Amino acid sequence: MTTPPPRNAAPSPRLAWASLVAAVAAAALWYHWPQVGAWPLLLGLAPWPVARRLPPRSPAHIPLFAFTLTAAVSLGAAYDPATAWAKFWLIIGGWLLFTALVALHQAGLVRQAAWLLAALGAVVSLYFLCTNDWDSYPTKIAMLVDVGRVLRRWMPAFPGHPLHPNVVGGLLGMSLPFAATTVWSNQGWRRAGGAGLLFFSLVGLLFTASRGAWAALAGAALLIGGWQLAGWVSRRRSLPRRWLMLGGLCLSASLALAFLLFGAPAWGRLLAALPGPNSTLSRLDLYRGSLSLAADYPLVGAGLGSFPLLYASYSLLVHVGHSIHAHNLWLDVAIEQGGFGVLALGWLVALAGISVWRMAADEQLPATLAAGALSLTTILAHGMVDDAFYGSRALLLLFAPLAFVLADPRPRQRRQSRRRLAAALLLALLALLPWQRQPRALAWRNFAAARQSRIELTVYQWPDWPLQDAVRRAVDLSQPIAAYERALALDPANASANRRLGQIELSLGDYDRALAHLQAAYAAAPSNNATRQLLGEAIIVTGGVDAGTTLWAGINQAQGQLALRAFWYEHLGDEQRLAWVHEAMR
């Protein structure tokens, strides 16, 4: 009887390749048929029990488990369980792919893994050029649209659904550092092959016209230039290269912060000029509304895949889904998985930064590690203005760059001790939170908002229901109302709880109580667009037309929000309040 290899032994190349094939097969099933459920997980893990091995360890597995756990907890809050479970399996698929890439790294096949991601970029680029509907997804550069139409006529047709140009831009931004590595780290025919992959990826990136991906890659290029400059200064001045690089990054960050603080008007105009999901909603308004929505679900989130109707119902105040995501990676995670999900993702990023910092002490970073770090940088930078990886099925590849940065399975004893200490401090903090007044209010607010959205949006379907207000009159909201009141008993000035409770009371026709809660919400957060619209309505329908009209004058009503409110009072047959709303609209 053969003895199984030790837990920390590197997997064999054959097992590493088998793990990758199984992970890709499972991910492909979840990509094309998300409703298939859990059984591809058995396929993805099959090589390890067959080989009598456990999957390889890496420093990323604990925060990855934490991230997945927050996603699992948020499933209970999702108003659309089918969509939430489909996204959860994409996260599991991303974990399987990460584990398979770690296995390749530990088996001594890291260069081959880099080639695979470089080839993926070229394949995605060609697929995009062959399948993109230039009429449905035109770029803002007319010449590229014309050339794209010509290219598609000459290219073969491929099955499958077209990819959105911004998603393609994000995927190519992630893969291009690996394509560049295949050129710089090889000679002869291998360099020529890498140059071909790099060329096709760059062509595809150009035709996506994804300015966010372009800017992210430009930032990665600046990091490469900064590293080379730091090396030149280090040789001449005998200074540590990584400290010079850190100093340059700190200086750049300080200048950027100064620009944001002192150039705020110009920065606001720039963000407002960026298109959101359509031309009537600026990116700045989208971020403000999404941040307000994230504050409603601060701990465990509102459920995976829940953004569209959540944002429409509680932030934008319209009757149909408007945006598929917040166009920001961190905001989307905060809304769907809560603050703990953001912390887990930040933990992963911090570990990656620490790993790069330690490797940089040797002055020469391995090419594949540098490619992984730059790839992760493009994901995070692009994720500040778009969300190609968490907001689409490209979520499968969100963790792939980490496998090149965090594949070392040999933790140091000192590092283990620090982790134990950090875990003990975190547990102590979590044990104290329920006894603190504000955190308890936070928990009740999160529970109330999640319960409200699940009760309302599980039922709501337009045009079966005219507005969400009608659902609130038909369902039992006593549980979330009681939870909001408990949160306000602990924190009476809480803007989120007051706004959400006031919105419910406005829908139920309890106008005086709605006015009181919305006034408290406005006092705490006067710039919140939803609060101003709801408070303006509460004032108007209680007879204060002039004061309500003043509030309504500065709100975003580009999606016909005020006409919807007039429709609601017409639907109720409330002639007096309908007349007041029409007067305010004029």
Side-chain angles (χ1 to χ4, degrees), residues 65-120:
F65 174 77
F67 185 82
T68 307
L69 182 61
T70 63
V73 170
S74 74
L75 289 171
Y79 67 83
D80 185 351
T83 300
W85 275 104
K87 190 163 186 175
F88 178 76
W89 293 123
L90 291 178
I91 293 175
I92 299 297
W95 196 345
L96 288 177
L97 290 173
F98 168 81
T99 300
L101 290 171
V102 168
L104 286 176
H105 192 291
Q106 295 182 6
L109 300 171
V110 64
R111 292 183 180 274
Q112 289 84 338
W115 273 92
L116 287 174
L117 289 181
L120 173 67

Side-chain angles (χ1 to χ4, degrees), residues 13-88:
R14 181 179 297 179
L15 177 58
W17 284 118
S19 171
L20 180 65
V21 170
V24 169
L29 287 171
W30 280 321
Y31 182 92
H32 288 288
W33 298 286
Q35 71 278 8
V36 74
W39 76 262
L41 179 60
L42 300 177
L43 172 63
L45 293 174
W48 300 104
V50 170
R52 303 178 64 195
R53 288 286 307 273
L54 291 174
R57 289 188 302 180
S58 83
H61 274 94
I62 295 177
L64 262 178
F65 174 77
F67 185 82
T68 307
L69 182 61
T70 63
V73 170
S74 74
L75 289 171
Y79 67 83
D80 185 351
T83 300
W85 275 104
K87 190 163 186 175
F88 178 76

Side-chain angles (χ1 to χ4, degrees), residues 111-130:
R111 292 183 180 274
Q112 289 84 338
W115 273 92
L116 287 174
L117 289 181
L120 173 67
V123 170
V124 168
S125 178
L126 289 174
Y127 181 81
F128 169 71
L129 293 173
C130 292

